């Protein structure tokens, strides 16, 4: 049975696109047939992370508006032959694709693919509503800081409102030394607020930036901690029970309250 | 234009008074406008009181129908309505959609979920939340609020002026708490909420006391 995942966050810049690219590559490396759909209209960069920018001929809007069949717009990855990208438009605005169009498209693509992964724009506007419409699982990406966690909380609420009850969490850019010193939220703190199943804890890793610049997601780099974390996420998505890299400490109420400026 | 109808919050609902010389048609048009613009006073399930004898019987009937259409009760008797109002289950904020359950006897809205940032629960009656109230969430209740979980959001009990209302939570650390017309803000220094507490009004001040659960 094929799965449709949406990668979302609320707050921008927390690593949705990075996560989409890495999970996509990871699933393809395991032999699954994967399609990535970039719905961040006007801010295209999933193609960059995959090193596919120069191969784009058509985009999502060309497909949903009926100009071309989706198969014509798909860009096949040069190295991972099971991986395809449906790029977004650079020029059109965020309302160029509506939820029904994406649902119809995904229903058709489901016949061909094991996984369809949708990269969602930041925010909770129309673009978000379109991106989540077709998904059966939502993966919320957040970072260990108050504003990102609060936005993730809102997004989880919005997902519930849209009857998307299957929600998973990925915490990105964790810096263990800062957590250790109490300068960054730890998993216990985050779990207390969000209380949804966590499928990944990705450390802050400069290899992510190196990988981005090379157009090869970090999951392909052996020995990188973020790469290993993404491999574990992919395994969990495939239903394997992988322990987390490093057990995190329990949450401290006092610190949490200090950070939230509460009682 | 806005002064044609004055709305006053009471313990059991809203009292309407009208500008001198305002015709029934003006009043009705004004109210309809308020209802349709989603005026925050008119929470579904609220009872609206109009002074007895102010309007003719058929006019009252027209108002009653209008309020009913918007999910509100209409009365000319200034007392707690004793018919179990549909209040609790008609409050359909998207936040608690289908999951709210009514315990008519106690007029208590039960919500079995966490209320997340940006979500809002409004009820004429008391509210029991089996879940957390997260930062940025709002609970506004005509009666008391009981949270079986951690409260970090904004809570207002006794929103129509009931000073006997209280707020209870397993861990009570709201950003702001209001009971009737009193407001308490979270102190800036760190205080542990390690056990269940109740906030209520004593000597015209909001006080906190531990409770056993
Ligand atoms: N684990 C990580 N370690 C270090 N840098 C990271 C990590 N994850 C993401 N980044 C960097 O953070 C930046 C933002 O990442 P990304 O573009 O994936 O976020 P996004 O959520 O898609 O942003 P937007 O909301 O703009 O679409 C990028 O420069 C990326 O390289
Ligand atoms: Mg992005």
């Amino acid at each position: 049975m094929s799965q449709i995942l949406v990668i979302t966050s609320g707050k921008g810049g927390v690593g949705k696109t990075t996560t989409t690219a890495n999970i996509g590559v990871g699933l393809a490396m395991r032999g699954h047939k994967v399609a990535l759909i970039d719905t961040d209209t006007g801010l295209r960069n999933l193609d960059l992370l995959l090193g596919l920018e120069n191969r784009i001929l058509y985009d999502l809007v060309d497909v949903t508006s009926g100009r071309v069949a989706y198969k014509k717009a798909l860009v096949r990855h040069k190295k991972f032959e099971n991986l395809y990208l449906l790029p977004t438009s650079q020029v059109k605005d965020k309302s160029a694709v509506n939820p029904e169009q994406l649902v119809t498209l995904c229903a058709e693509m489901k016949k061909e693919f094991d996984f369809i992964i949708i990269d969602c724009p930041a925010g909770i506007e129309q673009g978000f509503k379109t991106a989540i419409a077709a998904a059966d699982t939502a993966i919320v990406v957040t970072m260990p800081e108050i504003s990102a966690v609060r936005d993730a909380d809102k997004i989880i609420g919005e997902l519930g409102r849209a009857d998307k009850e299957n929600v998973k969490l990925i915490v990105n850019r964790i810096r263990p030394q800062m957590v250790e010193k109490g300068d960054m939220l730890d998993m216990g703190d985050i779990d207390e607020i969000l209380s949804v199943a966590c499928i990944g804890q990705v450390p802050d890793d400069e290899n992510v930036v190196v990988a981005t610049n090379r157009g090869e997601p970090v999951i392909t780099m052996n020995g990188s901690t973020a790469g290993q974390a993404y491999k574990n996420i992919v395994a969990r998505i495939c239903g394997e029970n992988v322990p987390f890299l490093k057990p995190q400490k329990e949450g401290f109420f006092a610190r949490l309250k200090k950070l939230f400026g509460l009682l | 234009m806005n002064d044609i109808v004055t709305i006053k919050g009471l313990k059991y609902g809203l009292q309407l008074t009208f500008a001198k010389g305002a015709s029934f048609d003006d009043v009705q048009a004004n109210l309809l406008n308020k209802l349709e613009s989603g005026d925050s006073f008119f929470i579904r399930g609220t009872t609206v009181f109009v002074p007895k004898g102010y309007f003719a019987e058929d006019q009252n009937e027209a108002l009653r129908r209008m309020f009913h259409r918007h999910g509100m009760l209409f009365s000319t008797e200034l007392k707690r309505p004793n018919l179990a109002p549909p209040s609790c289950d008609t409050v359909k904020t998207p936040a608690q959609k289908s999951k709210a359950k009514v315990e008519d006897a106690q007029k208590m809205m039960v919500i079995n979920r966490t209320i997340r940032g940006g979500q809002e629960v409004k009820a004429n009656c008391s509210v029991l939340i089996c879940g957390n109230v997260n930062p940025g969430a709002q609970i506004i209740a005509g009666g008391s609020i009981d949270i079986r979980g951690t409260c970090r959001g904004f809570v207002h009990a006794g929103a129509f002026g009931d000073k006997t209302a209280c707020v209870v939570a397993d861990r009570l650390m709201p950003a702001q708490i209001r009971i009737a017309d009193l407001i308490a803000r979270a102190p800036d220094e760190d205080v542990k909420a390690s056990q269940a507490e109740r906030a209520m009004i004593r000597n015209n001040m909001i006080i906190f006391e531990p409770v056993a659960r």
Side-chain angles (χ1 to χ4, degrees):
Chain A
M1 245 277 297
S2 44
Q3 280 192 47
I4 304 178
L5 315 175
V6 62
I7 314 292
T8 178
S9 72
K11 189 175 160 73
V14 301
K16 291 179 293 298
T17 303
T18 306
T19 301
T20 307
N22 279 287
I23 293 178
V25 168
L27 288 167
M29 290 197 302
R30 283 171 167 250
H32 296 293
K33 196 169 175 196
V34 183
L36 307 181
I37 304 181
D38 190 349
T39 66
D40 198 352
T41 313
L43 293 165
R44 168 162 101 190
N45 52 26
L46 187 51
D47 51 325
L48 277 180
L49 264 67
L50 295 165
L52 297 177
E53 192 188 16
N54 55 2
R55 300 178 184 220
I56 294 176
L57 297 178
Y58 301 100
D59 60 44
L60 179 60
V61 178
D62 291 323
V63 175
T64 52
S65 63
R67 251 192 308 282
V68 298
Y70 82 83
K71 284 186 184 166
K72 263 186 110 170
L74 284 178
V75 183
R76 188 178 202 162
H77 197 273
K78 46 199 172 190
K79 196 153 149 204
F80 307 103
E81 302 212 315
N82 286 333
L83 181 66
Y84 294 79
L85 170 70
L86 185 46
T88 187
S89 166
Q90 283 284 44
V91 289
K92 321 251 174 21
D93 66 272
K94 292 200 199 277
S95 55
V97 183
N98 66 41
E100 295 75 38
Q101 289 171 327
L102 203 62
V103 169
T104 312
L105 174 64
C106 286
E108 198 185 336
M109 290 177 71
K110 236 178 147 168
K111 297 174 198 151
E112 291 287 323
F113 291 93
D114 303 320
F115 287 92
I116 298 171
I117 309 178
I118 300 163
D119 185 13
C120 179
I124 50 175
E125 288 84 39
Q126 191 52 49
F128 163 77
K129 298 202 170 87
T130 298
I132 66 167
D136 29 55
T137 301
I139 296 180
V140 176
V141 183
T142 191
M143 297 202 309
E145 62 169 56
I146 294 296
S147 61
V149 170
R150 283 208 184 188
D151 285 357
D153 186 49
K154 277 201 187 129
I155 280 294
I156 297 166
E158 288 294 325
L159 287 165
R161 197 171 291 195
D163 289 325
K164 304 282 170 191
E165 299 293 349
N166 193 0
V167 180
K168 306 275 190 264
L169 182 72
I170 290 177
V171 182
N172 189 22
R173 309 200 69 163
I174 299 172
R175 292 162 75 170
Q177 309 90 303
M178 284 183 74
V179 174
E180 202 89 343
K181 279 195 288 178
D183 290 333
M184 192 176 248
L185 297 180
D186 70 17
M187 281 314 298
D189 299 332
I190 294 167
D191 194 44
E192 270 215 27
I193 298 280
L194 300 182
S195 50
V196 297
C198 182
I199 58 161
Q201 299 166 13
V202 183
D204 196 83
D205 182 351
E206 57 190 28
N207 286 322
V208 171
V209 184
V210 176
T212 302
N213 292 338
R214 279 195 207 150
E216 276 186 31
V218 72
I219 194 165
T220 60
M221 286 172 76
N222 285 323
S224 90
T225 50
Q228 186 56 48
Y230 280 119
K231 279 185 190 143
N232 293 349
I233 290 171
V234 169
R236 291 185 193 107
I237 289 173
C238 294
E240 290 166 30
N241 192 358
V242 190
F244 284 93
L245 286 180
K246 210 165 64 173
Q248 307 270 341
K249 296 179 300 178
E250 281 288 82
F252 288 103
F253 252 122
R255 173 160 33 91
L256 182 73
K257 277 189 291 176
K258 190 164 70 200
L259 287 163
F260 273 87
L262 291 177
L263 273 179
Chain B
M1 171 69 189
N2 275 331
D3 298 334
I4 292 178
V5 179
T6 311
I7 305 166
K8 191 172 160 230
L10 299 175
K11 205 162 174 179
Y12 310 127
L14 301 169
Q15 165 135 52
L16 305 186
T17 47
F18 310 105
K20 275 207 184 73
S23 73
F24 175 77
D25 288 344
D26 287 344
V27 167
Q28 193 178 24
N30 182 289
L31 283 171
L32 189 63
N33 189 14
K34 283 195 168 69
L35 287 167
E36 287 182 344
S37 65
D39 195 303
S40 58
F41 274 111
F42 293 115
I43 305 168
R44 294 179 80 84
T46 306
T47 306
V48 178
F49 299 104
V50 167
K52 198 179 180 130
Y54 191 92
F55 289 124
E57 212 33 62
D58 59 325
Q59 292 175 329
N60 276 339
E61 202 43 50
L63 290 181
R64 187 189 312 276
R65 275 200 305 276
M66 183 174 79
F67 281 112
H68 275 189
R69 266 200 306 280
H70 289 83
M72 265 162 289
L73 301 174
F74 176 89
S75 173
T76 53
E77 300 289 341
L78 204 56
K79 65 173 180 8
R80 172 176 254 155
N82 48 13
L83 69 168
S87 59
C88 303
D89 62 344
T90 51
V91 184
K92 284 280 186 250
T93 65
Q96 42 98 62
K97 265 190 209 154
S98 52
K99 294 197 179 144
K101 233 185 65 196
V102 191
E103 281 175 28
D104 261 337
Q106 293 159 297
K107 293 197 196 126
M108 165 90 88
M109 178 197 278
V110 182
I111 298 176
N112 287 311
R113 60 200 294 280
T114 285
I115 312 300
R116 299 187 181 272
Q119 296 182 333
E120 203 179 62
V121 172
K122 282 185 179 175
N124 196 26
C125 50
S126 291
V127 179
L128 170 65
I129 292 167
C130 302
N132 297 338
V133 176
N134 279 356
Q138 278 198 12
I139 314 294
I140 301 172
S144 293
I145 299 170
D146 188 350
I147 297 160
R148 303 295 167 109
T150 303
C151 173
R152 296 189 180 87
F154 169 101
V155 282
H156 189 174
F160 303 127
D162 180 1
K163 288 188 188 279
T164 65
C166 65
V167 179
V168 189
D170 290 348
R171 282 169 303 278
L172 188 55
M173 24 201 235
Q176 205 188 85
I177 188 166
R178 297 191 186 183
I179 300 177
D181 52 356
L182 296 181
I183 302 178
R185 191 178 61 81
D188 291 326
E189 75 273 18
D190 231 14
V191 183
K192 260 216 175 85
S194 51
Q195 76 166 107
E197 283 180 303
R198 179 199 343 251
M200 59 189 181
I201 298 183
R202 183 77 55 76
N203 299 327
N204 221 29
M205 258 174 48
I206 296 182
I207 61 150
F208 291 70
E209 62 171 28
V211 289
R213 285 255 228 220

